[in-house]
Amino acid sequence: VQSAQTNDRGEFRLFWLPPGRYYLSIAPNSTSTGLVRLSNGAMARAKDGQVVRNASPSASRNEIKLVPVYYPGTTDLQTASGIDVESGSDISGIDFVLSGVATHRVRAVAVDSATGAKVDTASLTLVPRNGSTLSQFPLNTASQGDGFEVYGVLPGSYFLIAGGRDGARGARVMGGQTQVEVSDQDVDGIVVSLS
């Protein structure tokens, strides 16, 4: 019902809220730059919502994203705690720590269920199954000769939905979906069967 930007000290204030229960979240500004403290206590530099690190031979090729956090410190709305605001009350002491979360890649192929052949002209979309705030992050899809790759994916449960047309069979429309679990590593070899 209301939003506010933090000031130069990182403080925020929301005014004139009617009495009721509210869910409070904080998200990195997409244009913000500067130092941030990660949930593990380390300091890092943020630029445009990404944590910028020095590349090293042992560094992961996946990026770190600052993700939105719901009070009292969860990335999932389902586990957030409501804040009860009573008439005439002032509530303070609500602090957040933005978490740096490693993103991953999901590699998939779309196949025609009738022939088993790859469908190179399909479009794929990765959708969170629980409707969490993580869906606010744009997902980047690249089509490749040997399949599709979605990168910048945060850990979670998703539906990988694919659709396409088979020009060889009278431009029939095909579609399909499969469940994908992303935890702490890239996910390879996902097959979406289109019918």
Side-chain angles (χ1 to χ4, degrees), residues 36 38 40 44-53 60-67 98-104 137 152 154:
V36 294
L38 302 179
N40 65 3
R45 183 161 298 281
K47 180 171 176 54
D48 298 331
Q50 309 294 327
V51 177
V52 180
R53 337 182 261 191
S60 167
R61 59 196 167 95
N62 295 319
E63 63 191 4
I64 302 287
K65 282 188 178 177
L66 296 176
V67 298
L98 288 175
S99 299
V101 177
T103 64
H104 303 287
F137 286 91
L154 294 161

Side-chain angles (χ1 to χ4, degrees), residues 79-96:
T79 59
S81 295
I83 299 169
D84 293 316
V85 176
E86 296 178 7
S87 181
S89 66
D90 247 359
I91 300 174
S92 61
I94 298 176
D95 295 327
F96 286 92

Side-chain angles (χ1 to χ4, degrees), residues 5-191:
Q5 295 284 328
T6 54
N7 62 21
D8 62 332
R9 304 171 101 188
E11 301 165 336
F12 61 92
R13 295 181 73 190
L14 302 170
F15 296 95
W16 310 113
L17 291 171
R21 173 166 280 202
Y22 295 89
Y23 291 88
L24 187 63
S25 71
I26 188 167
N29 187 332
S30 62
T31 61
S32 64
T33 59
L35 289 175
V36 294
R37 183 177 300 278
L38 302 179
S39 57
N40 65 3
M43 295 296 289
R45 183 161 298 281
K47 180 171 176 54
D48 298 331
Q50 309 294 327
V51 177
V52 180
R53 337 182 261 191
N54 293 329
S56 69
S58 62
S60 167
R61 59 196 167 95
N62 295 319
E63 63 191 4
I64 302 287
K65 282 188 178 177
L66 296 176
V67 298
V69 177
Y70 282 99
Y71 178 77
T74 177
T75 58
D76 186 354
L77 177 58
Q78 305 300 320
T79 59
S81 295
I83 299 169
D84 293 316
V85 176
E86 296 178 7
S87 181
S89 66
D90 247 359
I91 300 174
S92 61
I94 298 176
D95 295 327
F96 286 92
V97 175
L98 288 175
S99 299
V101 177
T103 64
H104 303 287
R105 297 168 192 249
V106 174
R107 293 181 191 90
V109 293
V111 298
D112 184 329
S113 64
T115 65
K118 289 182 183 176
V119 179
D120 292 327
T121 57
S123 62
L124 276 75
T125 306
L126 200 59
V127 179
R129 285 194 299 206
N130 64 0
S132 78
T133 184
L134 302 183
S135 62
Q136 295 174 2
F137 286 91
L139 297 172
N140 307 294
T141 307
S143 176
Q144 298 179 336
D146 58 348
F148 298 87
E149 183 175 88
V150 183
Y151 56 95
V153 180
L154 294 161
S157 299
Y158 296 89
F159 286 116
L160 183 60
I161 302 169
R165 290 185 178 269
D166 181 5
R169 295 187 178 193
R172 72 183 173 138
V173 176
M174 300 183 297
Q177 74 177 26
T178 189
Q179 296 181 7
V180 177
E181 294 291 332
V182 179
S183 55
D184 59 354
Q185 60 188 358
D186 292 349
V187 179
D188 289 312
I190 300 295
V191 177

